[in-house]
Amino acid sequence: MTISTTKKMLGVTAAAGLVFGLAACGQAPEAGGEGGGAEAVAGFKPCMVSDEGGFDDKSFNQLGFEGLTKAADELEVELGKTESKSASDYAANLSGLVDSGCTFIVSVGFMLSEPTVNAAKANPDVQFAIIDDWADNDFDGETDAPNIKPLVFDTAQAAFLGGYAAAANSETGTVGTFGGAKIPPVTIFMDGFQKGVEHFNSENGKDVKVLGWDFDKQDGQFTGEFAANDTAKQMAQGLLDQGADVLLPVGGPIYQSAGEAIRDSGGTAKLMGVDANVYDTDPKVQDILLTSIMKSMDVAVYDAAMEAAQGKFSTDPFVGVLENGGVSLSSFNDFEDKVPADLQAKLDEIKAGIIDGSIDAESPSSP
């Protein structure tokens, strides 16, 4: 598959220090198909390999797995999965899925890019999909193997809405964000978030500050991993200590550590979720969760699996944007009656502006 090279960006993985190119793709397809009683071709076996966050992260991996599970259930076929504990597991886990007879394998996350490309080249008869990556590790504008379907998301668009909402709900005039690994699927949230805050300031004559990320420098605060641990909690606490009263942790389960920091602080700070609607996936944080910046990974995975199951596998990328519902901002849940009365109407207006191009929500990591 050829990716149109209208745009390239450079990023650095925190784990490996690899420099890579991210090329833009064309029109995003419509999301959200239904199986309609479809039957799978003989021998079809859908499988998934997680990143180190694991399938119970109540966010990134879990949402993708829900999409694959839905497809397998509707097709009444066996589902295979393998959970990675660290980056060193990726290659072996992919090999194990191939050996177990998987015919369609989904890799969850940018960090699995190189292992997925290697597995795809070694197994041309197996169909692969990868979330949050173009699988273009030689930066030539083409997916590196002809049997990989990229599932990518312009999350900056939804994060722009989240940043505006965070600024509108801040009482201290300071909001904060931090990430797991410093990779484009993480920093794209932070880019959109900061741009949304800045748009709020411009529209309302305010000066809400963003801690933890600097769009111009493309640098900020990162734990270096996707794990709920003391490092993540301490980073969240540091932002709270500087006056942030809305926190956006970007990186699967690290939001859980941020939630602990908020509770331990005894303050009224609010949490924002990413990827899934965390209000639904983790009831333990419902009372402090303002909203979630969502990616429809479940829809993208489901649609790709159903295509493959019916012998219609296509390597055309899925590109999630606001217009096709591939990215979105959740409701305000328990805070519906506490947010500014005109906020939702304003967000609807901003969304329309992002879609028609009159509002710039672009990130260097945008597809």
Side-chain angles (χ1 to χ4, degrees):
M1 186 202 76
T2 300
I3 304 167
S4 64
T5 53
T6 58
K7 180 183 349 178
K8 290 240 179 183
M9 59 79 64
L10 293 178
V12 180
T13 68
L18 298 176
V19 179
F20 67 97
L22 180 61
C25 194
Q27 180 67 34
E30 289 298 322
E34 290 294 335
E39 294 184 2
V41 295
F44 179 72
K45 183 178 179 181
C47 299
M48 179 172 282
V49 55
S50 79
D51 71 8
E52 61 186 88
F55 290 121
D56 62 349
D57 63 1
K58 298 178 173 60
S59 181
F60 184 65
N61 290 274
Q62 180 172 319
L63 189 62
F65 188 65
E66 287 174 359
L68 195 65
T69 300
K70 178 183 177 184
D73 287 347
E74 290 185 8
L75 295 164
E76 298 182 344
V77 297
E78 178 188 0
L79 170 66
K81 67 174 182 177
T82 182
E83 194 167 53
S84 304
K85 300 301 183 183
S86 69
S88 62
D89 295 335
Y90 297 154
N93 283 346
L94 283 162
S95 179
L97 290 178
V98 172
D99 291 344
S100 71
C102 298
T103 61
F104 173 71
I105 300 173
V106 181
S107 297
V108 186
F110 167 91
M111 302 299 285
L112 281 90
S113 184
E114 185 176 2
T116 300
V117 168
N118 292 339
K121 287 181 176 179
N123 301 279
D125 295 331
V126 178
Q127 296 162 343
F128 291 82
I130 184 167
I131 296 172
D132 274 348
D133 189 67
W134 291 102
D136 177 19
N137 295 302
D138 58 8
F139 328 128
D140 66 352
E142 297 184 359
T143 301
D144 292 344
N147 51 333
I148 302 177
K149 181 182 184 72
L151 308 176
V152 295
F153 304 84
D154 194 355
T155 326
Q157 294 187 353
F160 189 105
L161 301 178
Y164 190 98
N169 283 279
S170 176
E171 297 179 3
T172 64
T174 302
V175 298
T177 183
F178 68 99
K182 187 182 178 184
I183 57 176
V186 171
T187 61
I188 192 172
F189 279 92
M190 302 163 87
D191 284 336
F193 183 73
Q194 181 176 338
K195 277 197 164 185
V197 173
E198 291 173 349
H199 188 74
F200 173 85
N201 289 338
S202 176
E203 291 281 297
N204 297 279
K206 302 293 185 179
D207 187 27
V208 178
K209 295 178 174 58
V210 177
L211 303 177
W213 181 244
D214 186 316
F215 181 95
D216 293 333
K217 295 180 180 178
Q218 286 292 293
D219 196 19
Q221 296 186 22
F222 299 90
T223 66
E225 58 186 331
F226 299 108
N229 55 25
D230 286 341
T231 300
K233 185 175 180 179
Q234 290 167 10
M235 193 163 286
Q237 187 61 57
L239 295 172
L240 294 170
D241 290 344
Q242 295 176 73
D245 63 351
V246 181
L247 295 185
L248 174 68
V250 186
I254 66 173
Y255 79 88
Q256 297 167 21
S257 302
E260 290 179 8
I262 289 173
R263 295 193 190 285
D264 289 352
S265 72
T268 59
K270 303 174 184 66
L271 181 68
M272 297 182 69
V274 300
D275 298 325
N277 186 345
V278 177
Y279 187 88
D280 293 333
T281 61
D282 191 355
K284 294 192 299 295
V285 298
Q286 287 181 346
D287 62 315
I288 58 173
L289 189 76
L290 177 63
T291 186
S292 294
I293 301 165
M294 302 186 297
K295 298 191 295 191
S296 296
M297 294 181 295
D298 52 343
V299 174
V301 170
Y302 170 85
D303 285 350
M306 296 303 288
E307 287 178 358
Q310 297 169 72
K312 301 175 183 178
F313 177 75
S314 167
T315 56
D316 292 340
F318 173 92
V319 183
V321 293
L322 284 175
E323 187 172 14
N324 67 7
V327 298
S328 59
L329 188 71
S330 77
S331 70
F332 294 109
N333 307 305
D334 292 351
F335 290 93
E336 287 285 2
D337 298 332
K338 302 172 186 177
V339 301
D342 63 344
L343 179 56
Q344 188 58 59
K346 187 62 181 178
L347 291 174
D348 292 341
E349 178 185 321
I350 295 169
K351 177 181 176 181
I354 293 173
I355 291 172
D356 69 24
S358 61
I359 294 178
D360 175 19
E362 191 170 353
S363 159
S365 301
S366 291

